Amino acid sequence: MRLTLSEQGGADVDTVWQRYARPVLWSAWAPQIRSVETEPELRAGIRGKVRPVAGPAVRFVVTAVDHEARTWSWRVQAGPFRLRLDHAVDRCGPSGTATRLTVTGPAPVVLAYAPLARRALRRLVRR
């Protein structure tokens, strides 16, 4: 299944991109994340673990990053389940931001993750 979510907010586009580009900041806007173990800057090829608030750590690999276009993709694996997540950040209006997330994976997992992802995206783009 493939599902695309999007949100708009008042945060500056460069601020939002930095919230993605620095994995140590992910837990500040994604309430389902307790911590992240990886390199300090987002780049293709990095691997790591996301430690959720509940449940076991989730392994990931970043598959693509384009800092100029403000897009990035990664694959996560939790037990037997794999998801692909594609992110984009765009300027929206004179000072706001739009963000988009496309999640691809098994339908039950994608549908279960969608409410958490939507909440995180709202927090990501707010001031």
Side-chain angles (χ1 to χ4, degrees), residues 9-66:
D12 174 75
V13 69
D14 292 324
T15 298
V16 172
W17 178 248
Q18 283 305 305
R19 290 173 181 167
Y20 269 145
R22 297 183 53 220
V24 70
L25 299 177
W26 293 356
S27 62
W29 55 266
Q32 72 273 22
I33 296 176
R34 183 170 23 123
S35 65
V36 179
E37 297 172 12
T38 192
E39 296 180 25
E41 187 75 21
L42 198 63
R43 66 174 177 78
I46 66 169
R47 296 176 179 274
K49 290 182 188 176
V50 171
R51 297 210 176 271
V53 172
V58 177
R59 294 185 179 278
F60 71 85
V61 60
V62 175
T63 57
V65 177
D66 185 332

Side-chain angles (χ1 to χ4, degrees), residues 5 18 22 26 29 39 50 75 82 94 96 98-99 103 109 118:
L5 306 169
Q18 283 305 305
R22 297 183 53 220
W26 293 356
W29 55 266
E39 296 180 25
V50 171
R75 289 189 322 258
R82 289 184 181 193
T99 190
V103 184
V109 179
R118 187 174 302 285

Side-chain angles (χ1 to χ4, degrees), residues 5-7 20 99 101 117-125:
L5 306 169
S6 61
E7 291 292 333
Y20 269 145
T99 190
L101 165 62
R118 187 174 302 285
R119 183 169 179 221
L121 292 177
R122 280 189 203 117
R123 291 172 54 130
L124 175 67
V125 296

